[in-house]
């Protein structure tokens, strides 16, 4: 039982740690499925190589995040747990397990997605490996029903390892706020502010301050990020990061109240100054006794 990690690109320093982590992910996936003596290869590659593979094997000339190449075929609608004979037949005495195939991960895309979702690269690699593991065990996501069954299995397996959606990557979110800060329009104060909201569904939304010749018409970075989230259908937030260019960008009173509309009092607020790090507070610390939608009988 296990995985074999192969590097098509230069090995990072923590390659051994990563192999152990992805080995644990694979083991959790097999356990969730109820499969013994199985394994697969995880090949880490880049944008260019995965694009070539995607073109050559599926006729799709595009880079993607992960590709799965099963060696054991399962009848449509059946997954590995219902085909023990097939797995026994494919047992590889040299490896000591049944080789289910190859999972190919694009490290460029994994990095990008980790930043977008506001979590660590290790977490993103765990997700991609689990997703591929279930493909190799006969799962697919062609229909909504299949998709939700596959998602349930991924969550079951990753949840065993404590890898849940609740773990927030503060560094990643703060980095996104720093990126947003570069877009600030602040000719009057010259104080650039960036913000990034992490929505409950894992999406992130950036915002920056934009000022006005009539000073009071200025919109802060936080409310810009909130607007960006709302117009994209996100109304529950898990965290926000805020950064100021020359000083810590403590959110103003109006922004604290606006955030409270869509977030609980225990939501972390990551706040800092560019190049100087950050501190983490809860929204309740910044806005005790805030007025909430529930106070007015509204549920979001
Ligand atoms: N500002 C924000 O965007 N967010 C904060 O948390 C504090 C203040 C902006 C508004 C204005 O453009 C500039 O910073 C100076 O107040």
């Amino acid at each position: 039982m296990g995985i074999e990690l192969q590097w098509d690109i230069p090995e990072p320093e923590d390659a051994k740690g990563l192999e152990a982590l992805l080995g644990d992910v694979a083991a959790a996936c097999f356990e969730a499925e109820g499969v013994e003596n199985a394994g697969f290869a995880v090949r880490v590659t880049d944008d260019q190589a995965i694009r070539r593979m995607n073109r050559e094997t599926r006729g799709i000339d595009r880079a993607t995040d992960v590709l799965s190449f099963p060696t054991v075929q399962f009848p449509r609608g059946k997954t590995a747990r219902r085909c023990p004979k097939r797995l026994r037949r494919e047992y590889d005495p040299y490896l000591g397990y049944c080789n289910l195939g190859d999972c190919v991960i694009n490290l460029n895309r994994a990095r990008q997605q980790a930043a977008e979702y506001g979590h660590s690269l290790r977490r993103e690699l765990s997700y991609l490996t689990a997703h591929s593991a279930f493909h190799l065990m006969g799962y697919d996501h062609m229909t909504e029903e299949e998709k939700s069954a596959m998602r349930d299995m991924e969550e079951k397996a990753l949840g065993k390892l404590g890898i849940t959606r609740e773990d927030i990557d503060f560094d990643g979110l703060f980095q996104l706020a720093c990126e947003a800060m570069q877009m600030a329009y602040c000719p009057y104060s010259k104080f650039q502010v960036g913000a990034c909201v992490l929505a409950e569904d894992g999406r992130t939304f950036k915002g920056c301050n934009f000022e006005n010749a009539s000073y009071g018409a200025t919109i802060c970075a936080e409310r810009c990020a909130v607007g960006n989230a709302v117009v994209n259908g996100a109304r529950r937030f898990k965290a926000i990061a805020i950064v100021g260019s020359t000083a810590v960008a403590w959110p103003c009173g109006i922004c604290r109240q606006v955030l409270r509309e869509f977030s609980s009092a225990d939501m972390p607020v990551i706040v800092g100054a560019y190049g100087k790090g950050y501190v983490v507070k809860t929204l309740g610390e910044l806005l005790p006794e805030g007025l909430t939608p529930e106070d007015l009988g509204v549920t979001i």
Side-chain angles (χ1 to χ4, degrees):
M1 191 123 122
I3 61 144
E4 211 182 298
L5 190 59
Q6 302 165 3
W7 294 91
D8 289 0
I9 51 181
E11 249 186 62
E13 255 174 45
D14 62 340
K16 278 274 157 285
L18 214 50
E19 184 159 25
L21 171 73
L22 300 186
D24 288 347
V25 168
C29 294
F30 296 144
E31 196 190 324
E33 175 70 5
V35 156
E36 279 171 19
N37 269 340
F40 56 93
V42 178
R43 240 173 99 181
V44 186
T45 186
D46 59 10
D47 265 332
Q48 240 185 337
I50 209 158
R51 180 174 177 174
R52 197 175 49 243
M53 273 180 238
N54 209 7
R55 184 175 60 233
E56 286 169 3
T57 59
R58 301 163 71 222
I60 302 173
D61 192 13
R62 250 189 283 122
T64 185
D65 50 0
V66 62
L67 286 174
S68 307
F69 299 102
T71 47
V72 186
Q73 304 298 329
F74 301 100
R76 184 150 175 83
K78 278 198 181 177
T79 62
R81 92 177 73 129
R82 292 176 60 194
C83 307
K85 266 199 211 130
R86 210 168 278 232
L87 293 177
R88 269 199 299 277
R89 205 164 53 222
E90 302 285 344
Y91 178 81
D92 182 333
Y94 172 72
L95 288 170
Y97 55 74
C98 163
N99 183 15
L100 295 173
D102 290 341
C103 150
V104 182
I105 293 178
N106 173 1
L107 195 62
N108 300 122
R109 189 61 73 86
R111 280 219 171 85
Q112 214 176 323
Q113 289 178 181
E116 275 165 24
Y117 287 120
H119 59 212
S120 65
L121 177 64
R122 284 167 69 86
R123 171 168 306 256
E124 183 61 23
L125 293 172
S126 303
Y127 267 113
L128 295 175
T129 302
H131 185 71
S132 188
F134 286 107
H135 267 313
L136 298 178
M137 291 194 283
Y139 286 79
D140 212 336
H141 42 74
M142 305 286 265
T143 65
E144 279 306 313
E145 203 180 319
E146 287 175 345
K147 195 168 155 182
S148 113
M150 190 172 180
R151 180 64 47 85
D152 285 352
M153 291 303 286
E154 287 165 12
E155 278 178 10
K156 183 174 166 192
L158 291 169
K160 275 255 163 74
L161 298 175
I163 302 177
T164 66
R165 288 170 191 274
E166 292 316 306
D167 189 19
I168 297 165
D169 176 10
F170 294 153
D171 285 355
L173 202 61
F174 191 69
Q175 182 56 37
L176 292 176
C178 291
E179 284 173 25
M181 191 191 82
Q182 312 299 334
M183 303 309 292
Y185 170 71
C186 50
Y188 307 104
S189 75
K190 312 260 188 319
F191 183 47
Q192 298 169 284
V193 183
C196 190
V197 155
L198 173 64
E200 208 154 70
D201 61 11
R203 288 185 293 165
T204 53
F205 300 96
K206 293 178 186 170
C208 64
N209 55 331
F210 52 100
E211 298 184 344
N212 194 276
S214 169
Y215 286 20
T218 291
I219 300 288
C220 297
E222 298 88 325
R223 274 176 290 149
C224 177
V226 169
N228 188 9
V230 171
V231 78
N232 282 293
R235 293 179 180 175
R236 296 303 310 167
F237 306 152
K238 284 200 300 194
I240 185 170
I242 312 158
V243 62
S245 51
T246 53
V248 177
W250 290 108
C252 75
I254 295 181
C255 287
R256 294 178 194 203
Q257 181 61 39
V258 166
L259 285 168
R260 188 65 181 88
E261 186 76 10
F262 304 110
S263 331
S264 63
D266 58 12
M267 176 183 79
V269 179
I270 302 135
V271 53
Y274 189 70
K276 301 220 174 84
Y278 57 77
V279 292
V280 182
K281 301 269 178 189
T282 66
L283 184 56
E285 284 177 290
L286 299 179
L287 182 70
E289 316 297 347
L291 186 68
T292 68
E294 295 76 41
D295 292 331
L296 301 189
V298 170
T299 27
I300 298 183

